[in-house]
Amino acid sequence: MTDHPLPPTTDPLAPTADPLTPTLDSLPPAATPRVSRRTLATTVTERIREGVHRGNFPPGHQFNEVELAAHLGVSRGPVRESLQLLVHEGLLERRPHRGVFVPFLTETDIVDIFYARLALETAAFKRVITSPRPPGLIETLDATVDAIAQAAAQDDWEAVGDLDLRFHTSVIEAAGSPRLSRMYSSLISETRLCLNIMADTHPARGDLLHEHRELTQLIAGDDVGAAIKTLTQHFDEATVTLRRRLRETQEQPPPPQLPYS
Amino acid sequence: MTDHPLPPTTDPLAPTADPLTPTLDSLPPAATPRVSRRTLATTVTERIREGVHRGNFPPGHQFNEVELAAHLGVSRGPVRESLQLLVHEGLLERRPHRGVFVPFLTETDIVDIFYARLALETAAFKRVITSPRPPGLIETLDATVDAIAQAAAQDDWEAVGDLDLRFHTSVIEAAGSPRLSRMYSSLISETRLCLNIMADTHPARGDLLHEHRELTQLIAGDDVGAAIKTLTQHFDEATVTLRRRLRETQEQPPPPQLPYS
DNA sequence: TTACAAAACATTGTTTACAACTCTCCGTCG
DNA sequence: CGACGGAGAGTTGTAAACAATGTTTTGTAA
């Protein structure tokens, strides 16, 4: 089933070098006695989600439960829970009695994802602009835009993508609605999936920087209509770009499947 | 733990009298060989969700996994999966290593639920009005409003509530966005929870009927601004009513816990 | 009587084993 | 040669046992 067409380079499920999140590899000894509010399934979920976000698993890839469990050093129970969560989140796709797969995103999906994001962000924009803004929001957005400029100057398009998503997430969070945030995080997850489907290098649009600066100014202002109009255009252009990117990508054969460790 | 202050009246997890959904009670024999795309967890999820929607479990109620499993005639596996799904859906609340509970909804929650619903419906209204409407939409909405009138005339407020939710769900579906629909269904779930928290009888607002007629006409028209304005007022009034209702309800002692079968 | 502590209990989290389903491969029949 | 059918392997779905955590109770001492 899983032949190894590529030399095993890196572990697609390797956690980020974040000392705060205990690695699963160091689990067999009681490595997580700290605030045991963390459950195995939680950690596994983050590992898998991270891996998918990084694009380590191509569209159509099937997650084998026993394989995953063995690789992560846990049993199938937590793995199943994690997969179910990610499915419900929309990041993965389940076919009953068949398995869990990385979905093939279509142009329709891309349009829908950005349509749904626009729906939520429009509401957030409206509330953030008309209500007293949470302190520090504008500064946070400005800082993010600066970071985008810096990353773009270094041709680090992966960072640009992350910062782009962070910008929009900040606005959503500023709306102060737990449910809006919850729903948006799912959409962000799917957006990352979108970005990964594209070519390995994502030469982002050049005007992306300018657009975010403009959005920040509009959020700092009080013209809701103008802000939403610009936001809509911003999403329209992103959608167009992604659709073209997807079409270009699909014209080339899909990359071979990445094996575990 | 679970004493029985009330005589066991009806099974809080009893399925609706729908012959299409096979009951779990008839499971031990192979009662579901039909299109086995249904998994046990799916059925269990629907059963529990139905029970919570009907208000069979008071706020704060803890779902005991073994008890549930025994009552439904399945093992803890599917039950755990179901509970996790409902938690992720927002209908239930999980406290790690403690259990899954029916949440206590606060005024803040009510406001947030309707804020999020408004966000999604605003987008749906915009699209439905400005794009070619799916055929039969207006007729469906009209029929639903008629049904509301009929149910209200019979003082069947539970039906009124259901039809109200169906009306709004129809509009969302008409937008044709899988993700909008997915997110909205969670919010509808939580809205039902809201309604159940209220007194047993829900004497709905009298102008609810008129408002839905007006909304239908606006959807049939082409004035997006007017439609959204009316929609916003509709939600504002619903929120105010529910908040008052909640406050009234909380002034009285909560009803005793309902036992199983 | 009250406050603290330890042990017993109850419940969830995890692992392991078993059953059912789906897909693939191969043989046979038309 | 192609199509149908069945056996086999592999995977997911389910069940039951084990471990760990949280809660309650009970006893003791201040």
Side-chain angles (χ1 to χ4, degrees), chain B residues 10 45 47 62 67 90 98 168 244 257:
Chain B
T10 57
T45 301
R47 289 283 293 273
Q62 173 169 11
E67 201 177 349
R98 305 278 291 285
H168 292 279
R244 182 171 49 228
Q257 180 169 326

Side-chain angles (χ1 to χ4, degrees), chain B:
Chain B
M1 171 61 74
T2 59
D3 48 344
H4 290 230
L6 289 182
T9 53
T10 57
D11 184 353
L13 288 176
T16 54
D18 184 357
L20 291 180
T21 54
T23 70
L24 255 173
D25 302 334
S26 63
L27 256 194
T32 56
R34 313 283 311 174
V35 201
S36 78
R37 288 298 163 88
R38 295 183 66 78
T39 180
L40 269 190
T42 310
T43 314
V44 171
T45 301
E46 293 174 2
R47 289 283 293 273
I48 299 178
R49 191 193 344 242
E50 175 92 15
V52 177
H53 280 172
R54 292 188 163 202
N56 293 335
F57 306 97
H61 171 86
Q62 173 169 11
F63 285 94
N64 185 314
E65 292 181 2
V66 297
E67 201 177 349
L68 260 179
H71 184 75
L72 293 174
V74 300
S75 82
R76 280 180 58 208
V79 171
R80 269 185 75 84
E81 280 190 32
S82 298
L83 291 179
Q84 194 206 350
L85 206 70
L86 294 171
V87 165
H88 194 253
E89 186 176 312
L91 188 63
L92 300 179
E93 197 177 283
R94 148 162 287 150
R95 285 172 250 174
H97 292 282
R98 305 278 291 285
V100 174
F101 304 82
V102 177
F104 288 94
L105 285 188
T106 64
E107 285 195 37
T108 305
D109 288 313
I110 293 179
V111 172
D112 192 48
I113 289 171
F114 278 82
Y115 168 68
R117 284 186 56 187
L118 180 61
L120 300 187
E121 277 200 53
T122 297
F125 264 60
K126 210 175 291 179
R127 171 174 277 189
V128 169
I129 292 177
T130 57
S131 304
R133 269 172 289 279
L137 172 63
I138 304 301
E139 289 75 7
T140 302
L141 295 181
D142 272 330
T144 304
V145 174
D146 290 340
I148 290 180
Q150 191 174 347
Q154 297 176 357
D155 277 354
D156 187 351
W157 302 114
E158 189 175 335
V160 170
D162 281 352
L163 291 166
D164 179 10
L165 299 184
R166 179 184 301 179
F167 179 94
H168 292 279
T169 302
S170 295
V171 179
I172 292 286
E173 294 295 332
S177 163
R179 282 154 190 87
L180 218 60
S181 296
R182 186 183 71 196
M183 297 188 296
Y184 198 76
S185 68
S186 287
L187 295 176
I188 287 298
S189 231
E190 287 197 271
T191 304
R192 285 186 193 274
L193 204 56
C194 277
L195 298 180
N196 285 331
I197 305 249
M198 312 298 145
D200 292 330
T201 59
H202 318 293
R205 293 181 295 118
D207 47 356
L208 199 130
L209 180 62
H210 170 68
E211 286 180 20
H212 282 102
R213 283 220 187 280
E214 192 178 354
L215 284 175
T216 306
Q217 289 176 349
L218 285 166
I219 291 173
D222 60 355
D223 189 343
V224 176
I228 290 178
K229 185 178 174 186
T230 301
L231 180 69
T232 305
Q233 288 174 352
H234 177 60
F235 273 84
D236 280 345
E237 289 169 18
T239 305
V240 169
T241 303
L242 282 181
R243 290 176 70 173
R244 182 171 49 228
R245 221 36 89 62
L246 175 65
R247 222 171 295 157
E248 290 169 1
T249 305
Q250 285 182 341
E251 284 170 1
Q252 302 171 5
Q257 180 169 326
L258 198 65
Y260 287 93
S261 57

Side-chain angles (χ1 to χ4, degrees), chain A residues 97-253:
Chain A
H97 292 281
R98 302 279 294 283
V100 174
F101 304 82
V102 177
F104 288 95
L105 285 188
T106 65
E107 285 194 37
T108 305
D109 287 314
I110 293 179
V111 172
D112 193 47
I113 290 170
F114 278 82
Y115 168 68
R117 283 185 57 187
L118 180 61
L120 300 187
E121 277 199 53
T122 298
F125 265 61
K126 210 175 290 179
R127 172 174 276 190
V128 168
I129 293 177
T130 57
S131 304
R133 270 172 289 279
L137 172 63
I138 304 300
E139 289 75 8
T140 302
L141 295 180
D142 272 329
T144 304
V145 174
D146 290 341
I148 290 179
Q150 191 174 348
Q154 297 175 357
D155 277 352
D156 186 353
W157 302 114
E158 189 175 335
V160 170
D162 281 352
L163 292 166
D164 179 10
L165 298 184
R166 181 184 298 180
F167 178 95
H168 292 279
T169 301
S170 295
V171 179
I172 292 285
E173 293 294 333
S177 163
R179 283 156 190 86
L180 217 60
S181 297
R182 187 183 69 198
M183 298 187 296
Y184 197 76
S185 68
S186 287
L187 295 176
I188 286 299
S189 231
E190 288 196 90
T191 304
R192 286 185 192 275
L193 203 54
C194 278
L195 298 179
N196 285 331
I197 305 253
M198 311 297 143
D200 291 331
T201 57
H202 318 291
R205 294 180 293 118
D207 47 357
L208 200 130
L209 181 62
H210 171 66
E211 286 180 19
H212 281 102
R213 283 222 186 277
E214 191 179 355
L215 285 174
T216 305
Q217 289 175 350
L218 285 165
I219 290 172
D222 60 356
D223 190 342
V224 176
I228 290 178
K229 185 179 174 186
T230 301
L231 179 69
T232 305
Q233 289 174 353
H234 175 59
F235 273 83
D236 280 344
E237 290 170 17
T239 305
V240 169
T241 303
L242 281 181
R243 289 176 70 172
R244 181 170 52 227
R245 222 34 91 60
L246 176 63
R247 221 171 295 158
E248 291 171 0
T249 305
Q250 284 182 340
E251 285 169 2
Q252 301 172 6

Side-chain angles (χ1 to χ4, degrees), chain A residues 63-65 76 80 97-98:
Chain A
F63 285 95
N64 185 315
E65 294 181 359
R76 279 180 58 208
R80 268 184 75 83
H97 292 281
R98 302 279 294 283

